[in-house]
Amino acid sequence: FQFRFRTYGSTEGNVDVWLLDYVTVREDGMVPAPEFEEIAFVTKPSSFLVEPWTAMPWPHFVLNQNAYTADEAVTVHRSFGEGSNSQQNIGLKAQRVDQLGSVNEWTPPAGNVPNNAVSGLFTTDYVGETNPVPLFNPAISGFPTFHVSLWETEVGAANETNQDGVTDNDSIVHVQTFQDYYAYDDGSAEKAWALDGIGGELALRFDLEQPDTLEGVMVHFTPFFDDATPENFVLKIRGEDPDNPGQPGEALQEQFTLHQPQYFTDGYDQFQTYLLDEPIAVSGAVFVGFIQEDDRINVGLDKNTNTNPDYLWYKFPSTDWNASTIEGSLMIRPRLRVGQGSLAAVSDPTPAPAPAVFPNPGRGTCLFDLTSPSFVTIRDASGRLVEDLGLCQEGRVEWNAPEPGSYLVEGRNQGGASWTEVWINQE
């Protein structure tokens, strides 16, 4: 026999999205079916950082990680079955996954039952119950990515079944990133947001926790009915209006480069980085966004978080600034040059002789010889940080690429002089 699943909706991009969870099929199944008692995860926390952040640079975070780590992490669960069930022996673990090691793990005392004899939907605060302090190892350096795992090991004691949880339902993982950007969104676009009018401008406010240098703006342009690839826009970076705190003020630097939305076909919810004409030293409140030349450029809208009413502003050539009333979080992020030295050196970089990268094209391994100690980073063709090599000593440096493609090898010596080389990996 066969199953057929049909969905009715639009195929014009990120419009009608649905998920088939799982189907259980058993040969010679019992009639009536045996009783089923289970507790399963429904949703995970959108972040383990304090609101409104879902991501921030690690060097900014570790300066005051107790203030930036969430003091609660609420998950939603469902208790299945005819009777009530108990949730027992919950646990939490934070493990760095971009490098080996650096594991932090906490488990509550055996027999801990934060939710006893529950039916239907209920919540659990994993941070409040386990009190993991610190959640992330402060001795870590670089730009780490963590998997924060949550689990429950037993259910059913309330109705005397003492049934073990179904393996696929009793754990869930949240990916917590600490890269070179701030974010309000959780990385998934459930809807789209756009300005309906020629010359519309949007500005998303970010209150930076530390002074830094703004290099560009990351945007997820989501496919939604109209293909906006031919449309032009110009980045706009503003400070705060001193007469109207919280609102966009004057431009910090005029931008002249015309950009176009870029869509991705090799994955979902991906971001494109659009670099500024020149890096800008920023601190405190900064507004990042763009002015559209024509009409409607759809940006991804995360509906699992809701920061738009507090941080998103828009205007048209004949209007004043207006606060957005659409719930959700716009998928725009400021990309910073974090931990790369003084702002003066970044804002007015001095060129330096670039070492030859070889073999070019290469097959997996990139080599180059440094004539002086240098801070080295690797970025992909879109400007996304791939790896921070930190301070590399004089001599030969070897780097292994994770996948084929073009990479920017960027270096800056301790005197502030910088260089950039393009390397192509064919394997």
Side-chain angles (χ1 to χ4, degrees), residues 102 136 202 241 267 269 290 312 372 419:
S102 302
F136 304 107
L202 66 88
D241 186 345
D269 301 320
F290 61 81
L312 180 58
S372 62
W419 51 266

Side-chain angles (χ1 to χ4, degrees), residues 184 201-208 214 216-217 235-242 244-253 255 276 280 282-290 308 310-314 321-323 332-334:
Y184 297 136
E201 178 182 353
L202 66 88
L204 186 59
R205 189 180 99 224
F206 288 87
D207 298 316
L208 304 183
L214 182 66
V217 180
L235 295 177
K236 199 73 173 181
I237 311 300
R238 296 181 178 273
E240 188 174 31
D241 186 345
N244 297 284
Q247 293 190 24
E250 295 297 321
L252 298 181
Q253 180 193 94
Q255 303 293 310
L276 302 178
I280 305 174
V282 289
S283 62
V286 58
F287 293 78
V288 302
F290 61 81
N308 282 355
D310 294 326
Y311 298 97
L312 180 58
W313 296 81
Y314 69 93
W321 287 105
N322 296 280
I332 291 181
R333 303 167 174 177

Side-chain angles (χ1 to χ4, degrees), residues 28-357:
D28 298 327
M30 294 175 60
V31 179
E35 292 185 4
F36 178 74
E37 304 292 339
E38 171 62 354
I39 286 180
F41 280 90
V42 177
T43 63
K44 62 183 179 180
S46 59
S47 175
F48 279 85
L49 301 181
V50 67
E51 292 185 356
W53 308 121
T54 57
M56 67 188 305
W58 181 259
H60 292 195
F61 171 76
V62 294
L63 291 176
N64 194 0
Q65 69 164 312
N66 289 336
Y68 302 143
T69 303
D71 55 9
E72 63 177 18
V74 177
T75 57
V76 178
H77 306 252
R78 184 182 295 276
S79 177
F80 294 92
E82 296 296 327
S84 59
N85 290 288
S86 292
Q87 179 191 48
Q88 299 185 28
N89 302 333
I90 66 170
L92 179 152
K93 177 174 69 175
Q95 181 175 8
R96 185 175 185 177
V97 294
D98 60 312
Q99 292 183 8
L100 296 177
S102 302
V103 178
N104 302 327
E105 184 173 347
W106 298 265
T107 303
N112 181 29
V113 185
N115 292 286
N116 189 23
V118 289
S119 301
L121 290 174
F122 66 95
T123 60
T124 301
D125 178 4
Y126 266 76
V127 167
E129 292 290 344
T130 61
N131 191 30
V133 180
L135 178 59
F136 304 107
N137 187 345
I140 290 173
S141 60
F143 296 90
T145 297
F146 292 90
H147 281 182
V148 183
S149 306
L150 314 175
W151 69 85
E152 52 202 6
T153 60
E154 186 178 310
V155 299
N159 62 2
E160 299 181 353
T161 63
N162 205 35
Q163 174 181 321
D164 288 339
V166 177
T167 303
D168 290 341
N169 289 340
D170 63 3
S171 60
I172 200 166
V173 175
H174 173 77
V175 180
Q176 185 64 62
T177 59
F178 294 92
Q179 301 299 313
D180 56 354
Y181 57 82
Y182 283 85
Y184 297 136
D185 65 274
D186 70 353
S188 62
E190 287 75 30
K191 297 289 184 180
W193 188 100
L195 290 173
D196 193 3
I198 295 174
E201 178 182 353
L202 66 88
L204 186 59
R205 189 180 99 224
F206 288 87
D207 298 316
L208 304 183
E209 301 300 325
Q210 298 293 326
D212 214 299
T213 297
L214 182 66
E215 289 195 51
V217 180
M218 303 169 63
V219 187
H220 169 59
F221 289 108
T222 195
F224 191 82
F225 290 110
D226 301 323
D227 180 6
T229 303
E231 304 296 336
N232 293 322
F233 67 90
V234 177
L235 295 177
K236 199 73 173 181
I237 311 300
R238 296 181 178 273
E240 188 174 31
D241 186 345
D243 298 325
N244 297 284
Q247 293 190 24
E250 295 297 321
L252 298 181
Q253 180 193 94
E254 292 297 334
Q255 303 293 310
F256 301 100
T257 302
L258 291 177
H259 300 280
Q260 295 78 37
Q262 180 172 337
Y263 302 106
F264 293 90
T265 59
D266 58 346
Y268 296 101
D269 301 320
Q270 297 193 41
F271 283 78
Q272 170 70 23
T273 296
Y274 297 90
L275 297 179
L276 302 178
D277 293 349
E278 294 290 341
I280 305 174
V282 289
S283 62
V286 58
F287 293 78
V288 302
F290 61 81
I291 301 175
Q292 62 192 31
E293 183 179 61
D294 203 342
D295 192 13
R296 296 193 67 83
I297 302 178
N298 289 298
V299 179
L301 182 65
D302 170 31
K303 299 293 285 185
N304 295 318
T305 58
N306 183 29
T307 58
N308 282 355
D310 294 326
Y311 298 97
L312 180 58
W313 296 81
Y314 69 93
K315 69 185 293 289
F316 295 96
S318 60
T319 71
D320 295 327
W321 287 105
N322 296 280
S324 175
T325 58
I326 297 178
E327 292 187 359
S329 296
L330 204 61
M331 296 176 69
I332 291 181
R333 303 167 174 177
R335 205 198 83 190
L336 303 167
R337 179 172 290 182
V338 184
Q340 301 298 305
S342 69
L343 297 181
V346 173
S347 299
D348 187 18
T350 302
V357 294

